[in-house]
């Protein structure tokens, strides 16, 4: 392995120097820059990883390393017999961050919950009118249609009233987008005329306080001295060293310039497994990598054409060439580790001759050219989107379909894809809450168009099945409905499932008590011997 370059050594020294001299510092090599610092505005895992386990808390949270929920800013809750009213009893004595740009005068209370959730729901809410934005994840989960109102009962009690029951609602409140913001801070920003700062200078109740951000270089956090779970925070300074190149991330980990790193290529994983200074954790991925067809575009709006294009892709070659031992073939819209997965349903397999015949029968013109979008960053569900796009391009060429590969900077890629500018787009999803609706609803429901439904697909039969499943609290009934929904998906193929990956998280051995999670990056309990 090459020695660290002078420039990389200087960067590491500058990151360490930027943190206070006293206390422990952990450097995490992340794969990309966040789109912003207001979690409600985004759906990207890169953004959530930078915020959810650091700056913000949610009413309910997931236990470290699992999909089980636990109390967060709400220490308890009750649900009405009809499943429409959720009453949350809030934790007392929780402090918001004190920063150079905000000094709270009160503790967290019901006003903060009402502000956060009303901003999602009400376009006429004063702060949202001053800083117009959209909340795609909130819409992806169907909450914009289901949530009737959020009420303050008293300073430490909040009532959520739904228009209809939602079996996934508790899990939804624990997902990354739902970090609770400070109503007092928002009020000060309104008075200053700078409401957009809520997305640049974040304030939360989480274990770490935001200190600074240099785009495409680093994010710096310091320990929140008043954190309500303070005994669980063992790190004084946390630095995200933004390092898009996976080979460079591997080098930095090996040389000690990073203590933990984001996703690596399979070859680098095998090399690091043999390093005596590295500890390698792994977990079956709650994820999927896929190719979404824009069903609003000519030809791609036809089921027979989508099925032919899917059949033309040699997914086994992609697995062998890109994933190695770190991936398994996908043919469902969610992974086999997710409850509700129907293993009886099978994909159509790879058959280029049949694909060419289908395209000819459909009347697809010779020379049809498809804009094939490839992500500029590595994700847990796709180790190399550019190379995957090249392999798909070659597969399609064999059945007479041309394609040209398109890419943008990650934030721009997300914005343009949500607007439906693509023909076909490589994307993926890592589960956020352990519920089937997090896949079938968030990725494929009609309400998710403009959010994470990059196929722009709206099928009334599928939508009714997914909606009915959310309305029912019986797991057996929900499983039956989700099975029928998967069958509709596998007939229509609005996106082509490619792979589910095993997630590896290598750490230096001086990192103690780090737990890999199927949902998001959590630093609570992690310590380091500096």
């Amino acid at each position: 392995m090459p020695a660290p370059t002078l420039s990389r050594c200087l960067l590491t020294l500058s990151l360490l120097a930027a943190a206070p001299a006293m206390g422990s510092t952990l450097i995490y090599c992340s794969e990309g820059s966040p789109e912003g610092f207001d979690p409600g505005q985004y759906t990207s895992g890169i953004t959530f990883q930078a915020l959810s386990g650091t700056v913000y808390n949610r009413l309910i949270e997931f236990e470290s390393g699992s999909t089980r929920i636990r109390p967060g800013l709400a220490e308890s809750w009750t649900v009405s017999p009809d499943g429409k009213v959720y009453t949350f009893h809030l934790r007392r004595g929780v402090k918001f961050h004190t920063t150079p740009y905000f000094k709270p005068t009160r503790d967290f209370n019901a006003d903060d919950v009402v502000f956060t959730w009303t901003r999602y729901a009400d376009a006429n809410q004063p702060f949202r009118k001053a800083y117009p934005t959209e909340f795609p994840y909130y819409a992806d989960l169907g909450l914009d249609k289901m949530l009737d109102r959020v009420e303050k009962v008293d300073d430490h009690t909040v009532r959520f009233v739904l228009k209809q029951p939602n079996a996934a609602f508790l899990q939804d409140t624990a997902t990354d987008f739902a970090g609770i913001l400070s109503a007092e801070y928002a009020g000060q920003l309104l008075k200053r005329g700078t409401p957009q700062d809520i997305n640049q200078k974040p304030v939360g109740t989480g274990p770490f306080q935001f200190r600074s951000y240099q785009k495409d270089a680093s994010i710096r956090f310091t320990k929140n001295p008043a954190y309500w779970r303070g005994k669980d925070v063992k790190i004084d300074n946390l630095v995200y060293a933004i390092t898009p190149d996976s080979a460079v991330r591997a080098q930095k980990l090996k040389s000690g310039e990073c203590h933990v790193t984001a996703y690596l290529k399979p070859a680098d994983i095998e090399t690091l497994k043999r390093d005596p200074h590295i500890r390698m954790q792994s977990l079956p991925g709650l994820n999927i990598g896929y190719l979404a067809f824009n069903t609003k575009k000519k030809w791609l709006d036809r089921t027979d054409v989508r099925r032919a294009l899917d059949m033309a892709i040699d997914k086994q070659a992609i697995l062998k060439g890109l994933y190695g031992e770190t991936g398994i073939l996908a043919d469902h819209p969610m992974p086999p580790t997710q409850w509700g997965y129907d293993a009886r349903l099978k994909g159509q397999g790879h058959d280029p001759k049949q694909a060419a015949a289908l395209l000819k029968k459909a009347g697809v013109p010779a020379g049809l050219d498809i804009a094939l979008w490839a992500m500029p960053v590595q994700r847990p569900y796709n180790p190399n989107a550019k190379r995957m796009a090249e392999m798909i391009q070659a597969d399609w060429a064999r059945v007479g379909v041309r394609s040209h590969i398109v890419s943008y900077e990650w934030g721009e890629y997300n914005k343009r894809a949500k607007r439906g500018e693509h023909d076909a787009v490589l994307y993926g999803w890592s589960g956020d809450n352990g519920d089937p609706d997090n896949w079938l609803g968030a990725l494929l429901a009609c309400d998710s168009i403009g959010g994470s439904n990059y196929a722009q697909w709206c099928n009334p039969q599928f939508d009714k099945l997914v909606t009915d499943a959310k309305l029912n609290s019986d797991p057996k009934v929900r499983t039956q409905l989700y099975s029928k929904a998967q069958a509709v998906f596998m007939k229509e193929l609005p996106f082509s499932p490619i792979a589910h990956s095993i997630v590896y998280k290598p750490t230096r051995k001086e990192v103690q008590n780090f737990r890999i999670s199927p949902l998001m990056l959590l630093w609570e309990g992690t310590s380091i011997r500096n």
Side-chain angles (χ1 to χ4, degrees):
M1 186 69 67
T5 65
L6 177 60
S7 61
R8 289 198 291 111
C9 289
L10 290 174
L11 173 60
T12 302
L13 289 171
S14 69
L15 293 175
L16 290 168
M22 300 299 292
S24 59
T25 296
L26 186 145
I27 299 177
Y28 170 64
C29 273
S30 67
E31 73 275 33
S33 295
E35 300 153 281
F37 290 87
D38 176 359
Q41 293 188 45
Y42 305 107
T43 63
S44 162
I46 288 177
T47 300
F48 289 155
Q49 292 283 25
L51 304 179
S52 297
T54 54
V55 175
Y56 297 104
N57 290 119
R58 291 147 298 285
L59 289 174
I60 297 172
E61 300 185 337
F62 293 103
E63 293 180 6
S64 179
S66 83
T67 59
R68 295 187 299 271
I69 58 174
R70 65 175 180 178
L73 292 177
E75 57 186 5
S76 65
W77 54 88
T78 58
V79 184
S80 64
D82 65 0
K84 294 183 181 180
V85 180
Y86 289 74
T87 303
F88 293 94
H89 303 282
L90 305 182
R91 196 174 298 277
R92 297 170 186 260
V94 174
K95 312 291 183 186
F96 278 100
H97 299 158
T98 297
T99 73
Y101 48 88
F102 176 64
K103 293 179 173 52
T105 64
R106 63 165 176 81
D107 290 350
F108 155 78
N109 67 26
D111 293 331
D112 304 304
V113 180
V114 172
F115 164 74
T116 299
W117 281 83
T118 302
R119 189 172 65 115
Y120 300 148
D122 185 3
N124 293 314
Q125 197 260 10
F127 192 90
R128 186 167 171 186
K129 288 183 73 174
Y131 176 47
T133 189
E134 299 300 322
F135 300 100
Y137 207 123
Y138 175 80
D140 287 353
L141 295 174
L143 292 169
D144 56 335
K145 302 290 193 301
M146 283 198 174
L147 185 60
D148 182 41
R149 61 189 184 276
V150 182
E151 303 171 335
K152 175 181 176 180
V153 178
D154 57 44
D155 278 352
H156 298 98
T157 311
V158 178
R159 181 184 297 127
F160 284 66
V161 181
L162 309 185
K163 296 176 184 176
Q164 52 194 352
N166 180 354
F169 183 68
L170 288 176
Q171 278 73 19
D172 289 346
T173 64
T175 51
D176 299 328
F177 84 95
I180 300 299
L181 281 65
S182 165
E184 183 184 17
Y185 178 48
Q188 290 185 14
L189 294 179
L190 270 182
K191 289 180 181 178
R192 294 177 201 158
T194 59
Q196 68 278 5
D197 279 358
I198 207 161
N199 194 32
Q200 303 298 325
K201 300 176 179 178
V203 170
T205 59
F208 294 95
Q209 299 180 164
F210 173 80
R211 188 175 180 197
S212 65
Y213 170 52
Q214 184 178 356
K215 185 174 174 58
D216 298 330
S218 66
I219 317 171
R220 299 183 179 92
F221 304 97
T222 56
K223 179 179 178 178
N224 174 10
Y227 185 48
W228 55 278
R229 279 195 187 117
K231 63 181 177 60
D232 294 333
V233 184
K234 314 293 186 183
I235 304 164
D236 295 298
N237 308 292
L238 178 62
V239 179
Y240 279 47
I242 298 165
T243 313
D245 190 309
S246 64
V248 176
R249 291 198 297 273
Q251 285 184 325
K252 286 184 175 182
L253 185 73
K254 193 171 180 64
S255 67
E257 295 175 71
C258 287
H259 302 106
V260 185
T261 188
Y263 319 106
L264 298 174
K265 292 179 181 177
D268 290 326
I269 290 171
E270 291 307 311
T271 299
L272 290 172
K273 280 181 178 179
R274 298 190 291 270
D275 190 312
H277 304 292
I278 304 297
R279 181 182 293 112
M280 188 70 71
Q281 294 189 51
S282 65
L283 196 69
L286 197 65
N287 61 45
I288 183 172
Y290 60 83
L291 176 71
F293 303 109
N294 188 336
T295 59
K296 299 292 175 64
K297 296 291 183 76
K298 187 176 181 180
W299 297 111
L300 297 176
D301 60 351
R302 295 181 52 167
T303 300
D304 51 355
V305 173
R306 296 194 301 270
R307 291 183 67 86
L309 292 172
D310 172 80
M311 198 180 296
I313 300 172
D314 189 345
K315 299 178 186 178
Q316 290 289 359
I318 289 174
L319 278 176
K320 182 178 179 180
L322 299 185
Y323 292 84
E325 300 298 319
T326 70
I328 61 171
L329 183 68
D331 49 25
H332 288 56
M334 58 186 186
T337 49
Q338 173 64 61
W339 73 265
Y341 178 95
D342 191 342
R344 297 170 300 177
L345 300 171
K346 304 298 181 183
Q348 58 181 357
H350 174 54
D351 190 337
K353 289 184 179 179
Q354 178 67 11
L358 276 174
L359 291 168
K360 183 177 180 180
K361 183 178 179 181
V364 173
L368 172 67
D369 189 78
I370 295 174
L372 173 56
W373 288 27
M375 295 176 294
V377 295
Q378 184 179 359
R379 303 299 300 129
Y381 44 74
N382 190 328
N384 190 335
K386 183 176 184 297
R387 179 61 186 140
M388 185 182 291
E390 291 169 348
M391 296 177 77
I392 293 171
Q393 183 183 50
D395 288 338
W396 284 352
R398 294 185 185 98
V399 298
V401 174
R402 293 190 302 175
S403 57
H404 61 281
I405 297 171
V406 176
S407 193
Y408 297 95
E409 178 272 330
W410 182 231
E412 190 70 13
Y413 189 92
N414 282 298
K415 286 190 288 187
R416 288 174 177 264
K418 290 182 193 302
R419 293 199 294 258
E421 295 183 15
H422 56 282
D423 293 338
V425 60
L426 283 170
Y427 243 105
W429 189 257
S430 293
D432 289 315
N433 66 20
D435 192 273
D437 184 69
N438 191 235
W439 309 88
L440 303 181
L443 301 183
L444 294 160
C446 298
D447 285 343
S448 299
I449 294 174
S452 296
N453 184 345
Y454 298 105
Q456 308 281 305
W457 183 65
C458 180
N459 180 290
Q461 180 188 6
F462 178 93
D463 227 49
K464 186 176 187 307
L465 289 165
V466 172
T467 299
D468 288 349
K470 280 198 292 189
L471 296 175
N472 199 300
S473 59
D474 186 335
K476 290 184 179 178
V477 174
R478 295 187 76 202
T479 296
Q480 292 169 358
L481 292 168
Y482 287 133
S483 177
K484 292 178 181 178
Q486 288 168 79
V488 174
F489 166 87
M490 295 176 76
K491 177 183 176 183
E492 295 285 325
L493 284 180
F495 67 66
S496 181
I498 305 292
H500 310 293
S501 71
I502 299 169
V503 175
Y504 287 87
K505 193 66 70 173
T507 69
R508 300 281 304 176
K509 285 198 172 176
E510 53 264 36
V511 176
Q512 305 292 309
N513 302 315
F514 175 82
R515 297 181 67 187
I516 189 170
S517 170
L519 300 176
M520 64 180 179
L521 197 61
L522 294 173
W523 298 110
E524 288 183 12
T526 302
S527 62
I528 186 166
R529 300 195 308 268
N530 279 341

